[in-house]
Structures are given as C-alpha cells and as structure tokens.
Amino acid sequence: MTTPVLLVLDAEPPPRLGRLTGRVRIEHADESTLAERLPHADVLLVWDFTSHAVRKAWPGDGPRPRWVHTASAGVDHLMCPELAASDTVVTNARGVFDQPIAEYVAALVLALAKDLPRTLEFQWERTWRHRESRKVAGTRAVVVGSGPIGRAIDRTLKALDVTTALVGRTRRAGVHGPEDLDRLIARADWVIAAAPLTEQTRGMFDAHRFGVMQPSACFINVGRGPLVVEEALAEALRRRWITAAALDVFTSEPLDPASPLWEVPGLIVSPHMSGDTVGWRDELAQQFIQLYERWEAGQPLVNVVDKQRGYVPGH
C-alpha cells in the first residue's frame, strides 16, 4: 500500500504532527515550490493561512490533492474557480477560534465603553482628567455573521446584558436576514462584523452603512478585512458619524506602516490577533490530526466547506 503524501504549505513555527509519524509522508512547500509539488500530494495542509499561494498554484497542470485543509476559519485566501469546480474536499478550522474571538470582542466593547484608550493616553501624559463612561448593560449590538464565531459573540455579549441581534445570509429562527441590516444598525450601539468574505459580503460596510449608524455607535471588524471599505470608515470617524471603531483585520496585511489608518481618530488597530490565544497553534495541529485520522479511516470529514458559498453550511 502506498504511503499517502501530506504536503504542508509552511509557516513558522511548523505544525506539530508527531502522531502521524510513519502513517503519512510529510513534505513541505513554500510559495515558490507549491505549484511543482501539488501534483504529488494526496492532502494539502495550508498552515500558512495568510498566503495566497494556493490560489496561484492550483490552476496548473497535473493531478491535485483530494483534500485541502486550511488552518483558518476563512477560505477566501485559497479559493479559486478551478478549486471550486473540482471534486477536492476543502475543510477549515471551524471551532478553534470561536470563543477567543468572542472574548476579544467583549474586551473591545468594554474598553470602548469605559474609554480605556484615552485613560492610557492621559496616564502617559500624566494628566488627571475625570470623565463619565458608558454603561454596557442595556445597550444594543448587531452581530453580522451567524456562524460559530458570530454565535459565540452573541452569547458572550448577552452575558454582559447586551441586547443582541444576529444577522445571517438568510432569515430564519433567531437570525435576521440581510434585508434587516440597515434597520438594525440604525439603532445599535455596537455593530460587529464577523461574516465570511463572499461576493455578497465584500464591501458591505461602506459609506452608506456608516451613514446609517447613529453617532454614538462603535464598529468592530473581526471577520475579514474586505468586508469594510476602509476609506469610508476612516471618513466616518473623522466626520464623527460614529464614535469609535476597532479593526483586527484589514484589506492588506500586515498593515503598511505608511497607512493613514494608524492615525485615524477613534480607531483601534490590532494585528489580526483576536483568535490567537496561548496554545492556539497546537490546537490547530490537533484538529488537523483528528481530521486526518477520519480521512485515513474512510470516515466522512467534518468542517467541510461549501466551495460555492465560501463557508461551512448549516448555520
């Protein structure tokens, strides 16, 4: 019996896959070697989930892996028409980042409500300036994205006594549809983007949406960078259409040191870290090993992505 070949699109530090020793031949690739090695792989692990190398290499010649797993919740960095049209199964890291991202969002909500960024600024300036802060309990939040991450955010904010509304791709029990979004965000204190990146969600937060929000609203994006028209958000903050915003994801990452976003008043910039808690890489590796063992045993895989929609269905 031929030993399967697992090709890893590397990032540092590499995944710890010791449990698979002797059961699979592990090979490694980077952006420069991925295209030539794809035809020889049975499985592709996209460990470097910031890379777009798969989108570039997949349309080439030769056979392709039967299964691709990405160590991320989003799959837009690897999907291309050829992969979408193939019979290759794509899975993602659904479940690993849900609660960490929800906690990060809750931390941002509390920090913005209690004006902690300015408290730190005044401390650095040795300035004693008393202010009033906002009470979180009783405020309203709209969470855009009804997948596991969005639902975890919804649950966590409810624990703070925030009234929440969840918006998904379609209206169903407990979830509002896209047609309700403008009406909901017009009354929201917190608008949180946690949706996957699809053709329907790209640029959904634009000048119109920021204009609909009330001046006291705060906007948070922990979904995908291109959900937001960044220039429109910057202008909304400068004009004080909204009070504050926090971005953990950006259209281009890492954010260029010369980007004007660094200096937009009222904007918190974080380096795509909302889901990355201590031990997260090991958790991702263990999740892949468990999936591999299912694949090896001929069992159905979980976290299977609908390649046309761009996310795992069923939520």
Side-chain angles (χ1 to χ4, degrees), residues 110-135:
L110 290 167
L112 291 170
K114 303 309 177 185
D115 202 20
L116 294 187
R118 284 207 305 164
T119 294
L120 292 174
E121 290 177 12
F122 291 143
Q123 179 179 344
W124 295 331
E125 296 169 0
R126 297 173 180 264
T127 299
W128 183 278
R129 184 171 299 178
H130 181 271
R131 291 104 62 215
E132 295 178 345
S133 64
R134 300 171 67 181
K135 184 170 68 171

Side-chain angles (χ1 to χ4, degrees), residues 7-28:
L7 182 62
V8 181
L9 180 59
D10 276 330
E12 290 295 334
R16 298 169 63 178
L17 304 175
R19 207 160 90 198
L20 299 181
T21 301
R23 297 158 60 182
V24 61
R25 189 167 84 247
I26 301 176
E27 298 184 354
H28 299 270

Side-chain angles (χ1 to χ4, degrees), residues 20 71 154 177 238 255 301 305:
L20 299 181
D154 181 75
R238 293 189 188 102
L255 188 63
L301 290 170
V305 173

Side-chain angles (χ1 to χ4, degrees), residues 63-96:
R64 289 294 181 260
R66 292 172 283 160
W67 167 35
V68 174
H69 177 77
T70 178
S72 61
V75 299
D76 52 279
H77 59 291
L78 58 86
M79 294 304 298
C80 61
E82 292 81 2
L83 175 53
S86 73
D87 58 3
T88 295
V89 176
V90 175
T91 57
N92 73 354
R94 182 187 190 192
V96 172

Side-chain angles (χ1 to χ4, degrees), residues 201-215:
T201 61
R202 184 181 296 274
M204 68 186 302
F205 290 100
D206 55 10
H208 164 74
R209 290 268 156 72
F210 293 122
V212 168
M213 295 178 196
Q214 56 186 353

